[in-house]
Amino acid sequence: MQLGKKIAATVVVLLAAAAFGFAGGGSESGSGVGVEAIQKAGVLKVGVKSDVPRFGLMNTATNQYEGMEIELSKLIAKEILGDAGKVAFTPVTAKTRGPLLDTGELDLVIATFTITEERKLTYNFSTKYYTDAVGMLVKKASGISGLKDCDGKTIGVAQSATSRKAIQEAADKLGIKIGFSEFATYPEIKAALDSGRVNVFSVDKSILNGYLDDTSVILPDAFSPQEYGVVSKLDNKALAAYINGLIEKWLGDGTLDGLIKRFGL
Ligand code: GLU
């Protein structure tokens, strides 16, 4: 009896392992993921920013996306499909980029997506291809010259972004009290700054650059390094490993450095 039970238990474990192995490793077998699935589709679907100058920006004059993340997407398409033009770009925000990967509408997100330990539990991140920092945009007339002047002030941040945590940690270190207002999009935060509903617009400096105008200034303060990675759906390990190989290669051979220089980053 004991032996019979043991054998039965072993069979269950083996079956479970086989099922898990199939689900986890079946990415190249036509299950809709992996590099082969993209080759089959004939197009690489990438989520990019449309409002971040030099990273991902929709040029309304030419109706074309431009920036280093756009060029990176094209390089990946060239590797996978042999044609840098075979990319379908979708504009994303901090809030929409994850769900669009989850539903399979996107193969990759290359959109100022900061690598964090928490996010690695839900998505695959490549090695970092760029490092930015969280900054602050204020009205020139506000008299605010740094976070130290923000006691009692309200900071506008985007939902699902790393900014709130970064600014809160910095404020705690300074021993000041701040409040937050969260918005779905960056244009909404800029409008809130302009109308005085928030005192500060905070997010990565690269993103703030897209909202700088004659009435505002980006302060010298810089918080929490923001390391950007190429992101894929968590169960698509085959694609993630392939993309990581490309990023490592391009970090080593100067390709990424070239892109960073080309866009003045
Ligand atoms: N890079 C930051 C993040 O991933 C800011 C949000 C954004 O990229 O829009 O949370």
Side-chain angles (χ1 to χ4, degrees):
M1 280 300 271
Q2 278 306 95
L3 185 67
K5 263 188 191 168
K6 245 186 193 169
I7 291 170
T10 309
V11 168
V12 168
V13 168
L14 286 176
L15 283 175
F20 181 77
F22 180 73
S27 43
E28 298 295 345
S29 58
S31 58
V33 294
V35 172
E36 282 169 16
I38 295 165
Q39 285 165 341
K40 217 167 157 193
V43 64
L44 176 69
K45 296 174 287 175
V46 186
V48 294
K49 288 296 184 78
S50 59
D51 59 351
V52 184
R54 297 182 285 176
F55 285 82
L57 185 75
M58 166 50 80
N59 182 334
T60 48
T62 60
N63 216 26
Q64 301 286 323
Y65 283 95
E66 49 193 49
M68 79 91 70
E69 290 177 331
I70 304 303
E71 294 308 313
L72 186 53
S73 306
K74 290 180 184 170
L75 284 176
I76 295 171
K78 179 107 178 45
E79 291 284 331
I80 297 179
L81 298 160
D83 183 345
K86 290 191 173 161
V87 195
F89 291 114
T90 299
V92 297
T93 66
K95 205 178 167 192
T96 64
R97 60 194 170 187
L100 285 169
L101 274 176
D102 294 335
T103 58
E105 275 165 79
L106 300 175
D107 299 310
L108 299 173
V109 168
I110 310 181
T112 70
F113 210 152
T114 302
I115 306 163
T116 70
E117 288 309 313
E118 200 185 339
R119 286 175 176 172
K120 278 197 218 162
L121 301 175
T122 27
Y123 299 102
N124 300 311
F125 283 83
S126 74
T127 302
K128 66 165 180 189
Y129 57 81
Y130 186 79
T131 305
D132 196 15
V134 174
M136 300 167 70
L137 180 79
V138 297
K139 301 300 280 183
K140 279 179 184 164
S142 69
I144 298 171
S145 65
L147 186 59
K148 59 174 177 35
D149 303 326
C150 290
D151 201 22
K153 303 275 192 246
T154 303
I155 320 290
V157 292
Q159 292 161 358
S160 310
T162 49
S163 336
R164 181 174 183 153
K165 187 166 175 261
I167 296 291
Q168 185 63 65
E169 281 171 7
D172 289 346
K173 272 188 201 145
L174 287 172
I176 59 165
K177 288 249 175 304
I178 49 170
F180 289 95
S181 267
E182 294 199 1
F183 299 83
T185 66
Y186 297 119
E188 286 172 87
I189 310 181
K190 179 61 166 65
L193 182 74
D194 288 341
S195 65
R197 280 177 290 140
V198 300
N199 307 105
V200 177
F201 173 1
S202 180
V203 70
D204 306 2
K205 291 201 170 206
S206 56
I207 298 169
L208 289 179
N209 272 319
Y211 294 89
L212 192 60
D213 58 19
D214 288 347
T215 69
S216 58
V217 59
I218 296 174
L219 301 179
D221 277 358
F223 310 100
S224 298
Q226 300 291 306
E227 299 181 339
Y228 298 159
V230 178
V231 190
S232 55
K233 198 174 173 186
L234 190 62
D235 67 7
N236 204 343
K237 298 290 182 210
L239 181 61
Y242 177 83
I243 295 296
N244 205 48
L246 290 180
I247 298 297
E248 300 270 4
K249 178 175 88 173
W250 292 332
L251 282 169
D253 70 7
T255 302
L256 272 160
D257 258 356
L259 277 185
I260 285 168
K261 283 207 182 84
R262 179 171 149 197
F263 287 97
L265 298 168

